[in-house]
Amino acid sequence: MKGIRSASEPYAALLASKDPHRFFDDWGLSETGATGPTGNRYGDAAGHSCMAVAGARPSVMTLETGSTDRLGNMHAFAATALNFAAAEFVA
């Protein structure tokens, strides 16, 4: 994890890639970001999230909600991550 900025796609991919080994599974899902109401110390605004799926088709994405609503962002991040993972498994 050294040298990789958190709340970034490479960091999310690294976290997701560790899940299968840690939990003896075939895939992993991760999410990292800034829920709000303010941004993080790395310069990402509130509403910034990076997500990754590890498995047969590794994939990463970034979501920017543009919102400072912490609870709303948590819901948006979780729903997006689950839909992202589901789409990767169906494809």
Side-chain angles (χ1 to χ4, degrees):
M1 295 178 159
K2 277 189 175 182
I4 302 176
R5 185 178 72 82
S6 68
S8 68
E9 288 186 359
Y11 190 77
L14 177 64
L15 292 176
S17 72
K18 292 189 173 295
D19 283 352
H21 303 290
R22 185 174 180 196
F23 299 111
F24 307 102
D25 209 336
D26 295 329
W27 64 276
L29 173 65
S30 72
E31 181 276 325
T32 181
T35 55
T38 62
N40 61 27
R41 63 182 171 179
Y42 307 105
D44 301 304
H48 169 86
S49 176
C50 295
M51 302 164 200
V53 174
R57 289 177 21 127
S59 191
V60 296
M61 68 167 285
T62 298
L63 172 67
E64 301 283 353
T65 66
S67 172
T68 59
D69 176 20
R70 183 176 178 83
L71 183 59
N73 282 333
M74 287 191 277
H75 288 175
F77 295 174
T80 301
L82 292 172
N83 287 326
F84 179 54
E88 291 303 309
F89 293 119
V90 172

